[in-house]
Amino acid sequence: MTPLSPRLFVATVAVLPLLASCGLTPGSDGPSIQVYSARTYGGEKAYDRFTEETGIKVEFLNGSDAELRERLAAEGADSKADVFLTVDAANLALAAEQGLLQPVSSPALEQAVPANLRDPQDRWFGLAQRARVLIYDPDQVKPDELSSYAALGDPEWKGRLCFRTATSAYTQSLVSSFVAHHGEEGAARLLQGWMANEPQILANDVEIVRTVGAGGCAVGITNHYYVARELAKDPELGVGVFFPNQATTGTHVNISGAGVTTSADDLPSATRFLEWLATTGQSPLVDGNFEYPVNPDVQPVELVRDFGSFERDQLNVGELGGHNDVAVRLLADAGYR
């Protein structure tokens, strides 16, 4: 082996930190990032385009929001994850509180993501919005009979409702929004009203949509995109979409979002991944799953636009994580399983 000349040795040593900062190591074929992702649907084309446009490869490790957050905490500084991508705001907020995410200074993200859909300390950013809507069987319900989440506790809905399980992150985040807006006592009263009407508790949103479509429930609560998915497959499905709380707090929205981990060894590439998904990559990311973009300059697909415009809850979605423990307790106290 020919020894390195002193000049070449110095040059090699000098360039190593630069290569490392770009995710490159000697002998590697380009920068790459690893994403711990609870989002297992709809984004594959977006990720492929990101790699094509930037040359940055993306590897995924999939699991639930909570599982991946616990894994990040257990791995600590040794984690290989550069990005934590979730389908729920609460777990992002909890990850930030645990010190698992680092602040990212990015004018592009600040411009693309509205303030209520990102962390005030810039440790995570919303990338897609999902509205928690009321769905109804048009053969049993007229839209003007609906108004708010709380009104589903009125006696007229007894035996006519379908809800998702208490363990669902979507259920817990919705109830967390009740705690944020109405306080613990107000949220408890709302849940007691619901449970007095003896709702069917179903395993997932798809089951709720199909049950309402088959006339098994008059009204259910689901994320809007589950309805859109089913309507895309069967345009004749008998399910209507109603946006609740239009006269008060607005319809509850949650996010699928992401943050750069504190263990990330390629901050520039991880930041670029988030920036691309919030700008150029918005439509490729959200269209396949019928979600609403977070970027106000981007429109959702036609099927979702046909649901109509609506007022959204302006609560910072990061507050949902702070009320999650209370929400879980209130659900249990109300007998909601």
Side-chain angles (χ1 to χ4, degrees):
M1 178 178 178
T2 304
L4 294 174
S5 70
R7 177 175 297 180
L8 181 57
F9 176 77
V10 171
T12 302
V13 170
V15 81
L16 283 175
L18 177 60
L19 291 171
S21 72
C22 298
L24 289 165
T25 57
S28 72
D29 55 358
S32 66
I33 57 173
Q34 184 163 110
V35 179
Y36 281 11
S37 175
R39 187 184 174 93
T40 57
Y41 44 76
E44 293 77 9
K45 291 182 180 178
Y47 307 140
D48 289 345
R49 275 190 55 181
F50 171 75
T51 297
E52 291 171 3
E53 293 182 14
T54 66
I56 300 170
K57 296 179 180 178
V58 186
E59 298 177 347
F60 291 91
L61 188 150
N62 295 320
S64 73
D65 285 341
E67 289 170 349
L68 294 172
R69 179 167 55 81
E70 291 170 3
R71 177 167 178 149
L72 272 175
E75 293 174 338
D78 295 329
S79 177
K80 302 298 183 186
D82 297 288
V83 172
F84 180 40
L85 176 59
T86 77
V87 295
D88 171 63
N91 275 284
L92 278 175
L94 291 171
E97 289 179 8
Q98 291 176 269
L100 303 176
L101 304 178
Q102 61 175 296
V104 170
S105 177
S106 167
L109 285 168
E110 290 181 9
Q111 182 174 351
V113 183
N116 68 310
L117 302 179
R118 54 183 161 89
D119 178 35
Q121 298 180 48
D122 295 328
R123 295 167 297 182
W124 51 263
F125 300 84
L127 298 171
Q129 292 187 82
R130 44 272 304 277
R132 200 78 184 151
V133 299
L134 307 189
I135 62 172
Y136 61 92
D137 174 4
D139 291 335
Q140 302 184 56
V141 179
K142 303 299 181 192
D144 61 8
E145 297 178 77
L146 301 170
S147 60
S148 67
Y149 301 108
L152 297 183
D154 293 345
E156 67 188 272
W157 300 111
K158 191 175 182 89
R160 305 175 68 194
L161 303 172
C162 283
F163 294 154
R164 187 158 174 170
T165 57
T167 55
S168 163
Y170 304 145
T171 301
Q172 293 175 8
S173 287
L174 176 62
V175 175
S176 293
S177 76
F178 299 157
V179 176
H181 286 302
H182 310 303
E184 187 170 333
E185 291 185 5
R189 283 195 299 274
L190 191 157
L191 291 175
Q192 290 162 6
W194 281 5
M195 297 313 294
N197 283 335
E198 301 176 352
Q200 293 184 55
I201 305 297
L202 301 181
N204 56 62
D205 282 19
V206 173
E207 190 175 351
I208 294 172
V209 174
R210 293 175 179 172
T211 300
V212 171
C217 286
V219 177
I221 299 179
T222 70
N223 283 354
H224 78 278
Y225 57 85
Y226 288 105
V227 188
R229 285 182 190 173
E230 295 302 306
L231 287 172
K233 290 185 284 188
D234 178 10
E236 302 304 318
L237 182 69
V239 174
V241 172
F242 183 87
F243 295 102
N245 288 33
Q246 293 303 280
T248 54
T249 59
T251 296
H252 169 68
V253 292
N254 205 330
I255 59 163
S256 175
V260 177
T261 67
T262 51
S263 62
D265 59 6
D266 188 359
L267 177 60
S269 293
T271 301
R272 193 171 181 188
F273 181 63
L274 268 58
E275 291 174 338
W276 189 88
L277 291 174
T279 55
T280 307
Q282 272 282 271
S283 291
L285 179 70
V286 304
D287 286 358
N289 195 38
F290 300 98
E291 292 166 288
Y292 291 101
V294 294
N295 190 324
D297 294 333
V298 180
Q299 292 294 313
V301 294
E302 182 177 2
L303 194 157
V304 174
R305 290 201 302 271
D306 288 345
F307 288 161
S309 60
F310 64 102
E311 295 297 324
R312 305 170 193 209
D313 191 341
Q314 294 301 306
L315 179 76
N316 186 295
V317 292
E319 292 191 37
L320 301 175
H323 297 296
N324 194 73
D325 287 347
V326 174
V328 170
R329 174 168 52 79
L330 293 180
L331 285 161
D333 290 347
Y336 189 136
R337 300 291 185 260

